[in-house]
Amino acid sequence: MKVLLIGSGGREHALAWKLAQSPLLETLYAAPGNPGIADCATLVALDIEDHAAVAAFCKENGVTFVVVGPEAPLVAGMADVLRTAGIDVFGPSAAAAQLEGSKGFTKDLCAKYDIPTGAYQRFTDAAAARAYVEREGAPIVIKADGLAAGKGVTVAMTLDEALAAVDDCFDGAFGAAGAEVVVEAFLDGEEASFFCLCDGVNALPLASAQDHKRVGDGDTGPNTGGMGAYSPAPVMTPDMVARTMKEIIEPTIRGMAADGHPFQGVLFAGLMITAKGPELIEYNVRFGDPECQVLMMRLESDLLPILHAAATGRLDTVSASWRDAPALTVVMASKGYPGAYEKNTPIRALPADDAASKVFHAGTALKDGQLVATGGRVLNVTAVAATVAEAQKAAYQALDQVEWDNGFCRRDIGWRAVAREKA
Ligand code: AMP
Ligand code: GLY
């Protein structure tokens, strides 16, 4: 099979690395890719916003299957264009991608199909939102409705903070994404990410992970796209997974199909495990980044046939097997991230990959033969071992061999799970 992978982050490097191991693969192309992805795929210079050009490339090169990594092309309708052109696609239609593209859409689906989530209201003007916030009191959560690169959410512990967040949204802090605001009840508990493949009708549960969203050690400082992750999430016990499937994922799949936009691709459920059980914080319609990196390190099965089965309505014919061993990844980011940072700083050395550790590239590029950092999140140093504590040790040992003056990382990725192992 000739496959095209869309994207250029650490998530896509992990997907490319795993797809490249498939005996079913003839050629893997990636657009736009990055220097890490170039080790396992042929990079093609395609404008991925030009969906017709992507379809034309597939037709000209005999590509029959496209795997879409990030959410933006999905929300923009890339999967619809490719499917119309007769190409199999892993990833939802624009209509189904609203699960990530509009928080209000997801909250309405939860209300209609009785899926547990925080009580909420949607607002299009500041005065009504402020009045609701004042009535409900803090803590309370304010969310810009649309895509805001993970930055549109304020978990307000005080009323003043909540009112300021409402004003920020309506004053345009998140552009068009903030023209509508969702105000949601604060959920108290431990967060987990849960991943499940869907083919419109059937579901194949994958695995769980825990992200570290704050930039600083001890979960301090501003939110980021994720500074590190491990899989599995200990809080996702077999019972909690079964409840999540029954109470959240299955009603979502049935509801999406009944409403005329069946979901096909990966459902990434952001969960809060509260005293009542799993509650949905949000859906994403693609793999998490960096959660995907730890999932791919643990996946024993061939990735290509299971993604293709999801894309072609045959998920009931495949299964996935996983290493029991936990995997952990540490993100190295450019100093200053998630704020402004310098670009094109040289990365002079990387550790060699081995069977138990692997460096995935995110925001890197080659400039005159020199590897440089071009993004906020730049490298994902990933390890798998018998315990989270050992995976953590191995990941940091590898990370300490990276020679990059402008990089930084958190030093405590996995702290919750390591503390649990010691208890
Ligand atoms: P989201 O972009 O919706 O995932 O929100 C970003 C982060 O805000 C989540 O990962 C949670 O840590 C936090 N958050 C979102 N909604 C809630 C909620 N209802 N209660 C508590 N924390 C929340
Ligand atoms: N790491 C969180 C995300 O991919 O949304």
Side-chain angles (χ1 to χ4, degrees):
M1 199 186 304
K2 291 187 180 169
V3 180
L4 170 65
L5 173 67
I6 303 291
S8 62
R11 164 182 50 212
E12 287 76 25
H13 187 188
L15 292 171
W17 171 73
K18 196 65 194 164
L19 287 170
Q21 294 167 31
S22 174
L24 303 172
L25 183 77
E26 198 180 322
T27 313
L28 181 62
Y29 295 101
N34 69 34
I37 296 172
D39 286 342
C40 27
T42 303
L43 303 193
V44 281
L46 272 173
D47 174 4
I48 63 169
E49 288 179 19
D50 184 348
H51 301 162
V54 175
F57 171 84
C58 294
K59 291 289 180 198
E60 282 157 23
N61 293 279
V63 170
T64 55
F65 185 37
V66 177
V67 176
V68 184
E71 64 279 15
L74 295 168
V75 172
M78 178 186 270
D80 306 80
V81 171
L82 294 174
R83 270 189 212 112
T84 303
I87 300 156
D88 293 333
V89 189
F90 178 77
S93 64
Q98 287 180 90
L99 278 178
E100 176 161 1
S102 164
K103 295 192 186 293
F105 174 89
T106 298
K107 297 298 279 187
D108 289 350
L109 184 92
C110 290
K112 186 169 174 190
Y113 294 102
D114 212 12
I115 295 164
T117 187
Y120 74 105
Q121 281 210 21
R122 303 173 70 164
F123 296 96
T124 49
D125 78 280
R130 288 178 65 100
Y132 179 78
V133 165
E134 276 173 0
R135 225 172 27 248
E136 295 294 312
I140 194 159
V141 183
I142 315 297
K143 301 184 174 183
D145 181 74
L147 290 181
K151 289 171 194 148
V153 174
T154 303
V155 180
M157 299 317 281
T158 66
L159 196 57
D160 284 350
E161 225 183 311
L163 294 171
V166 167
D167 290 343
D168 279 352
C169 279
F170 285 116
D171 287 347
F174 308 109
E180 182 172 334
V181 168
V182 172
V183 181
E184 187 179 303
F186 172 78
L187 298 171
D188 197 15
E190 185 170 342
E191 275 189 79
S193 304
F194 182 71
F195 297 87
C196 182
L197 295 185
C198 310
D199 67 4
V201 176
N202 305 292
L204 176 68
L206 294 179
S208 63
Q210 231 151 26
D211 192 10
H212 298 62
K213 287 212 163 74
R214 303 298 192 103
V215 75
D217 284 10
D219 294 327
T220 54
N223 264 336
T224 69
M227 295 300 293
Y230 55 89
S231 171
V235 70
M236 290 305 284
T237 58
D239 175 54
M240 213 49 85
V241 169
R243 284 191 60 183
T244 301
M245 288 303 295
K246 186 160 175 285
E247 296 168 25
I248 297 179
I249 304 286
E250 286 165 10
T252 298
I253 294 174
R254 282 197 303 271
M256 290 294 283
D259 290 353
H261 22 249
F263 184 88
Q264 185 268 97
V266 58
L267 257 190
F268 162 3
L271 303 172
M272 189 70 86
I273 308 304
T274 69
K276 285 193 285 183
E279 298 202 40
L280 184 71
I281 297 177
E282 64 159 1
Y283 272 132
N284 297 305
V285 300
R286 35 85 193 169
F287 281 104
D289 188 345
E291 291 93 327
C292 185
Q293 290 81 314
V294 283
L295 256 52
M296 292 306 115
M297 286 294 269
R298 291 189 54 230
L299 180 65
E300 278 172 341
S301 311
D302 186 347
L303 179 66
L304 181 51
I306 56 181
L307 296 188
H308 194 247
T312 52
R314 295 177 300 106
L315 258 190
D316 53 339
T317 66
V318 296
S319 60
S321 63
W322 300 87
R323 293 200 208 185
D324 288 330
L328 180 142
T329 189
V330 181
V331 171
M332 287 194 86
S334 294
K335 283 178 189 162
Y337 174 80
Y341 52 82
E342 197 182 333
K343 288 199 174 165
N344 298 319
T345 56
I347 301 169
R348 293 200 176 79
L350 292 177
D353 294 340
D354 58 38
S357 78
K358 166 103 195 129
V359 178
F360 294 111
H361 290 233
T364 68
L366 278 175
K367 289 249 153 70
D368 304 324
Q370 169 69 54
L371 188 68
V372 296
T374 52
R377 295 189 298 164
V378 173
L379 298 168
N380 314 133
V381 188
T382 313
V384 60
T387 63
V388 180
E390 284 171 39
Q392 184 192 53
K393 194 167 157 218
Y396 282 109
Q397 262 170 6
L399 183 142
D400 288 334
Q401 296 171 49
V402 174
E403 290 177 26
W404 173 34
D405 294 341
N406 199 48
F408 80 98
C409 66
R410 278 181 62 162
R411 298 294 318 184
D412 65 345
I413 299 304
W415 66 270
R416 251 200 202 88
V418 170
R420 262 205 181 91
E421 284 176 351
K422 284 190 186 139

